[in-house]
Structures are given as C-alpha cells and as structure tokens.
Amino acid sequence: MTSAIPVNAHEPGQQKPARPLTMFGPDFPFAYDDWLAHPTGLGEVPEGEHGTEVAVIGGGLSGIVTAHELMKLGLRPVVYEAHEIGGRLRSVEFEGHPGVVAEMGAMRFPPSSTSFFHYVRGLGLSTTRFPNPLDVDTPSTVVDLKGETHYARTLDDLPPLYREVADAWHETLVSRARLEEMQAAIRDRDPKAIKAIWDDLVERLDDTTFYGFLAASPAFASFRHREVFGQVGFGTGGWDTDYPNSMLEILRVVFTAADDDHLSIEGGCQQVPVRLWESGAAAPAHWPAGTSLASLHSGGRPLPAVTRLHRTEPNHLTVTDADGGIRTFRAAVFTAQSWNLLSRIACDEALFPIDHWTAIERTHYMGSTKLFCLVDRPFWKDVDPATGRHRMSMTLTDRMTRGTYLLDQGEGKPGLICLSYTWADDSLKWLPLSATERMEVMLSSLREIYPDVDLRRHIIASPVTVSWESERDYMGAFKANLPGHYRYQRRLFTHFVQDDLPERYRGLFLAGDDISWTAGWAEGAVQTALNAVWGVVNHLGGRTHPDNPGPGDLFDELAPVQLPED
C-alpha cells in the first residue's frame, strides 16, 4: 500500500507532498505493498501445474499468507500446524468473559507495515491506537526509576534529564547513522539512495552492539544518560534488553518507523491468519470462486505437526506428520521457528547447503514474558481529586514489571491490564514462576508505585501468561541478530532465489519471522512469505507479469550487500 497521494499530485513550484515512512528496506528495498496491490496479481503458474500440492509447514502468519497466495495462483497448499492457526499472533480469551482478548504475542503494529495492513484492511478488520508510553492517545504515563516516580502526559512533563536523553538519541542517529538521509530515501522509495547509505552502514556497524554504538557517541558520554535510555527509551519503552544485539537491528526499526504510532487490531490480531484460512478467494486461478484454505483441507483443519522432513528422488521433498501420514511434494515452504529443524523435526543434511545450516544454528532469539489480568472496569481513568492525576497510568519502571499497559475495552466493558511485558534476561526472571506467583510479584512491585491503589480488588479473572522461550515449538519470541550475524541473516533471507544453488538443494523455501530482516514485526513475516510465493512459482515454471515484477525478478539490483567471508 503506497501513499494515497500520487507522487506528482502538486502544482508547479509547490513542495511535493511527503510519502509516508514504510518498511521499504533498508536491506532489500522491494515494494511488497505495490506488488500485492497491482491488478495483474503476483504471477501465474503453467496450467499443467494447477492443483499441484505444495507443503506449507507452519500455520502462523507467514505460513497462512504463503498458502493463501499460492491457492489464489491455482496451487494446492497443504498446511501443517502443530497447534492452532496464528503462531505468535495469539489472542487468548479469559474464561467466563468472552469478547476481551489478551494478545500473548504480537499486539501492536506500526502503520509502516503496509504489506501486513494490506491483509488487515482486505479482511475488513478495525484498528485502534495502542497506548504506548507518552503516545498522544495515552492519557498519562508514569516513569518510575530508582524509587523516584514521575507523572507525565507529555515528554515535557518529565524532568529535563529525559528531554536530554531524547535529544541525545536523535542527535546520535542523525550524526552517526544518517537518519534523515535514510528516511528521505525511504519516503521517496529510492532504492539506489537507500542501498548507498545502508550498504555503508552494514560494513561499518555489523560488528557493533547497540550499547557500543551509544557509548561511542559524544551525545551519550554520560553513563546516566545511557542508563535512563535503556530503562525508558522512547516509543515503546526501554531498550536495554537490546543492548547486546547488533546495532543494525535497531536501525532497521528506527529508519522504518516500526516503533511509532502503533495500532492494535480490535478483537485480536489472531483474526488475521484465522480469517485468511477461512475466507474464500473471489477469483482464484483453477479453483472455483469462494475456495478457501479450509475447504482444501479435510475437516477444515491443517495436518498435524511435521516430525520428519527429507529429500527423495527425483528432487522431491517428503513430509511425515505426527499421525504417521507421509506425503511427497515437488515444493515446500518452511515457516515455523527455524530451530525446529535442529531439534523437533528429523531432517537429513541434504535439505540445505552447509552454510545455510550454520546460519540456522547461529540464529539468536529474544525471550519474552507477558501477563494479563482482567479487571472490573478501566478504573485507571478515575482522577484523584487531590492531585488531578489518573489513579493509574501506563508505567515504565526498573522494577520487575518493566512495562505495564492499560487497555481500555470500551464503555461498560471490563478493563484489561498487561501487568508486565519483559524481554531477554528480564523475561528469564519470571520463567520458574506460575501465573499466580508472577501476578503476586507484579502486584507487589506496582504497589510501591501506586500505594493508594488496591489493584487486586478490581481483578475478576485468573491471569493469563506466556514465556515464549519455554513454548515447545517456539523457543523464543523473535530473532535478534548479534554482532557479526549479518552474513548468516543474508543467507536465510535470500534463500528464496535458488537459481545459483545446486539442483539437489532446490524446492524447499524458508519464510517466517526469523528469516526476515525485521523480526518481531508482522511485516517481516509477510514479506518473507511473499518471497517464498515467488520462489515456488519460479520453481514450478511460472512467472510474474511484466508490469508487476516480483522480488526475485528484481533481486540482482536490490540484493542485500554481500560482505566478504574470507
């Protein structure tokens, strides 16, 4: 989806309207949203291939998008899923209280995720603004550090130190990462300019941690400034759990506005993959109008978990599932968490070249823990007559809870509180505790910040919680590259272009959150799904329309920079 205003919609002498920031690159600046929106579609396969079965392993967002688009092209996706459709788009209801959902995985989506929102809007789903700290739609924010609590409606309500930190962050990005140049190039959708800037940054910063980048900036010469930034950050909150990660991961987020102006999906984000599974296509190739993924699967359900994946002659892929079913395919797309290929699924080494196996093994994942509780009403909107402040606010703290989010469900409905949202080491602190034990610690922490609020008396249902690092088939919340991992990520992302691979390694395509450059954001899952669709079509002898070339067609000019490996 591009800007609603055409690039040339201005009078001579007038300034050209700015296009929005989108996740257009920077590693691979291909216009996935334009490719999706083009009236010619994503391509075609030869009529003789219509109805050909293609295995899609994993029923998360990436897998369902892959299957949905392959179905529209006249192929027959065979989806395997160990649990339920949705993956880390998981919306959970509270027992006895239907209609209110807790988002256990993804919960906030930037408008710059234009390919993702192609599907959200196509499905007719509604969105609302997500209450991030200091967001214009967040009634108030409390920052609690080292026992000092500050109440704010805007950044200017906080002590001057916080403005200094915000200014230091912006100055560092402008002076050391060419922020304004890159964002101008992204707005203009200028691949050459993007690549000139980004390729230089990749070569200079691949070996640099986020913390090292900050510490080397004169604007962050003060440890106190780095400490406050790590605890509070700007946008979604604290960034210190990312401090060990590659600085490139951070720049991908800030360049593309992935951390800004977030939206949530009313009724839960799991609706996106579930509805794509259930929705009939209006005019698919080969299949009757109204054919859906559900209708192509017995009982309307995916096949069970994959337990074995191996190659068989001639250049086929054979899949064994948990019920003992064995099926052979000419093409397959693997969208599940890639570590499953190392531990949960019996694989032969012939699936990938050894360098790709190494990249899978080196993938680094961030853990994440959330706990939600349901309360009788959004009591936090009550105003204390003595202070004029809200009874409770969106809260950032250095205590165990780290981030607490207040989610208004509407007039006359219960309120929803994400008592704690943590990552990495902070997530591991919760891992041994049950949901009830976690809640007790969280309530204790919040009592120190809000001594006059009896939060417990408002709770009306048992809490729901998740730690993604302990989820059996996930083993982490999202990929986050460490310094020096760029080369590994490049191998995984570019795997969909297989013409240069030996023939014995072709036909199996990687997609999903951890294959993408922008892991942790649904847009990356969608973009890699679309890469895989192009890969399958190309593998089966199909092609894109000349007026709407796909990511593989433009690969040579847009390919991520290749760093030397000697």
Side-chain angles (χ1 to χ4, degrees):
M1 188 186 333
T2 55
S3 170
I5 303 174
V7 173
N8 59 354
H10 62 286
E11 295 299 323
Q14 289 183 335
Q15 184 177 4
K16 183 171 66 177
R19 300 182 77 179
L21 284 169
T22 63
M23 290 194 188
F24 183 76
D27 294 271
F28 186 69
F30 175 78
Y32 292 94
D33 47 8
D34 288 346
W35 194 42
L36 280 169
H38 199 280
T40 62
L42 302 188
E44 62 181 9
V45 296
E47 285 191 17
E49 298 292 352
H50 284 167
T52 296
E53 292 190 341
V54 178
V56 178
I57 301 167
L61 178 63
S62 190
I64 297 302
V65 167
T66 299
H68 178 76
E69 296 297 348
L70 291 177
M71 176 191 72
K72 287 167 59 179
L73 294 171
L75 300 173
R76 187 185 189 105
V78 178
V79 178
Y80 294 83
E81 171 53 48
H83 303 286
E84 58 184 310
I85 291 171
R88 280 167 284 189
L89 269 61
R90 183 187 296 180
S91 307
V92 174
E93 291 190 336
F94 291 84
E95 186 176 355
H97 298 274
V100 179
V101 298
E103 300 284 36
M104 308 309 291
M107 67 177 180
R108 48 191 173 188
F109 306 90
S112 60
S113 302
T114 48
S115 301
F116 172 69
F117 277 105
H118 168 90
Y119 295 102
V120 172
R121 292 179 179 133
L123 292 167
L125 295 171
S126 299
T127 59
T128 186
R129 196 162 179 110
F130 186 85
N132 277 323
L134 299 176
D135 187 82
V136 293
D137 277 7
T138 300
S140 59
T141 300
V142 161
V143 177
D144 171 74
L145 298 182
K146 297 187 175 182
E148 293 186 10
T149 301
H150 305 287
Y151 178 91
R153 294 178 186 269
T154 70
L155 177 60
D156 291 335
D157 294 331
L158 294 171
L161 173 62
Y162 293 88
R163 171 62 70 180
E164 293 172 13
V165 172
D167 291 344
W169 178 228
H170 181 75
E171 179 184 337
T172 298
L173 290 171
V174 170
S175 63
R176 302 197 65 228
R178 305 172 68 179
L179 172 70
E180 293 174 348
E181 297 173 70
M182 176 60 89
Q183 291 195 327
I186 291 173
R187 289 184 189 279
D188 290 341
R189 297 210 162 189
D190 185 343
K192 289 184 178 179
I194 291 170
K195 287 186 64 59
I197 298 168
W198 184 248
D199 292 358
D200 171 65
L201 291 171
V202 169
E203 292 174 3
R204 290 195 290 111
L205 297 177
D206 176 45
D207 297 328
T208 302
T209 65
F210 183 13
Y211 187 82
F213 180 83
L214 286 184
S217 169
F220 276 101
S222 164
F223 174 78
R224 179 62 175 147
H225 283 61
R226 299 195 297 273
E227 184 179 41
V228 168
F229 180 73
Q231 298 286 351
V232 178
F234 292 94
T236 55
W239 287 58
D240 58 353
T241 48
D242 278 306
Y243 274 172
N245 294 330
S246 168
M247 185 60 202
L248 297 177
E249 291 281 49
I250 309 307
L251 293 180
R252 293 181 182 107
V253 171
V254 296
F255 283 163
T256 60
D259 213 38
D260 299 336
D261 301 320
H262 289 158
L263 302 172
S264 57
I265 297 173
E266 294 183 356
C269 64
Q270 193 171 352
Q271 294 175 99
V272 178
V274 168
R275 290 196 184 186
L276 282 176
W277 172 262
E278 297 171 345
S279 298
H286 177 64
W287 304 110
T291 297
S292 67
L293 291 172
S295 70
L296 293 178
H297 290 73
S298 177
R301 296 186 300 274
L303 275 66
V306 171
T307 57
R308 187 184 180 202
L309 179 60
H310 65 289
R311 291 188 181 272
T312 48
E313 296 294 339
N315 299 318
H316 284 61
L317 292 143
T318 298
V319 179
T320 304
D321 65 42
D323 287 347
I326 303 174
R327 299 173 80 151
T328 297
F329 304 88
R330 289 172 52 207
V333 183
F334 189 90
T335 73
Q337 209 264 27
S338 60
W339 278 357
N340 284 294
L341 293 166
L342 305 174
S343 57
R344 302 278 295 129
I345 300 173
C347 300
D348 59 51
E349 290 190 1
L351 291 178
F352 306 104
I354 190 62
D355 282 349
H356 288 77
W357 278 117
T358 301
I360 291 169
E361 290 168 350
R362 296 294 182 270
T363 301
H364 171 65
Y365 290 93
M366 294 277 283
S368 177
T369 291
K370 287 182 182 178
L371 184 138
F372 288 85
C373 67
L374 195 67
V375 294
D376 53 2
R377 63 185 182 87
F379 66 87
W380 54 81
K381 296 195 294 186
D382 296 347
V383 175
D384 186 332
T387 64
R389 297 178 174 181
H390 294 106
R391 297 292 292 176
M392 192 172 171
S393 305
M394 190 282 141
T395 307
L396 296 174
T397 180
D398 53 3
R399 303 176 196 271
M400 281 279 282
T401 47
R402 293 304 302 269
T404 297
Y405 297 85
L406 311 176
L407 305 163
D408 190 352
Q409 304 298 298
E411 193 67 31
K413 295 183 179 180
L416 182 63
I417 302 180
C418 179
L419 283 181
S420 176
Y421 188 13
T422 58
W423 299 271
D425 288 356
D426 287 325
S427 178
L428 289 175
K429 296 168 187 173
W430 299 111
L431 204 55
L433 305 182
S434 68
T436 301
E437 290 171 326
R438 293 179 183 191
M439 185 177 73
E440 292 302 323
V441 175
M442 293 170 188
L443 293 178
S444 178
S445 290
L446 291 170
R447 192 178 304 119
E448 297 297 319
I449 305 171
Y450 303 101
D452 298 327
V453 176
D454 185 1
L455 205 159
R456 184 191 303 278
R457 76 179 179 87
H458 290 284
I459 296 174
I460 59 174
S462 297
V464 294
T465 191
V466 68
S467 289
W468 285 99
E469 55 267 50
S470 65
E471 291 285 294
R472 182 175 176 86
D473 293 299
Y474 295 92
M475 298 170 275
F478 51 86
K479 178 272 300 176
N481 282 331
L482 297 174
H485 278 195
Y486 175 87
R487 293 168 178 83
Y488 299 140
Q489 189 65 51
R490 188 187 190 281
R491 293 174 201 168
L492 299 179
F493 179 85
T494 63
H495 182 254
F496 74 98
V497 179
Q498 300 189 349
D499 290 347
D500 291 337
L501 285 178
E503 189 174 0
R504 67 183 183 277
Y505 291 129
R506 299 178 190 174
L508 174 61
F509 300 88
L510 293 170
D513 177 74
D514 49 359
I515 305 305
S516 79
W517 294 109
T518 51
W521 304 102
E523 180 73 4
V526 173
Q527 291 183 3
T528 56
L530 297 175
N531 286 347
V533 170
W534 183 92
V536 170
V537 170
N538 185 66
H539 182 70
L540 296 178
R543 59 183 177 84
T544 56
H545 192 280
D547 294 339
N548 193 32
D553 302 308
L554 301 179
F555 183 79
D556 288 344
E557 63 185 84
L558 302 178
V561 62
Q562 188 159 9
L563 298 180
E565 300 200 9
D566 295 330

